[in-house]
Amino acid sequence: MGQLLSFQQELLRIQPTTNRIEYSKNQGRTWATRCHFTTQMGVLQDLAVQGTTLLAMTTKGLYVSTNQGRTFTKRN
C-alpha cells in the first residue's frame, strides 16, 4: 500500500501497483481513482500538501496539482 494523507476533507493514497492516486470521502472505507500517472510521468513515489496545492514526486520529477489531484503539471 502507498502513502496516505488527508487533503481537503478527503484521504488520498498512492496505489503503487497501478501508479494511481486514489481518494476516499468516507474515512477509507471505499476508494476511487483520482488520477493515473502515465509512463512518461514516471512512477509515483511521494505525495505532499502545500496549502491548497498537491505535490507528487515521481521517478521523472515533481508534478503539481491545483485541482485536488485531478490533473498534474510538471514543475521545472
Side-chain angles (χ1 to χ4, degrees), residues 14-59:
I14 294 172
Q15 183 51 260
T17 57
T18 58
N19 206 37
R20 297 172 192 257
I21 295 175
E22 297 180 332
Y23 71 97
S24 174
K25 293 185 177 199
N26 58 13
Q27 294 80 43
R29 288 188 289 277
T30 59
W31 294 88
T33 298
R34 172 65 49 83
C35 180
H36 177 252
F37 275 66
T38 64
T39 305
Q40 290 100 349
M41 296 170 82
V43 177
L44 280 162
Q45 296 180 316
D46 196 15
L47 289 176
V49 174
Q50 183 178 6
T52 59
T53 302
L54 184 62
L55 306 169
M57 185 59 152
T58 76
T59 54

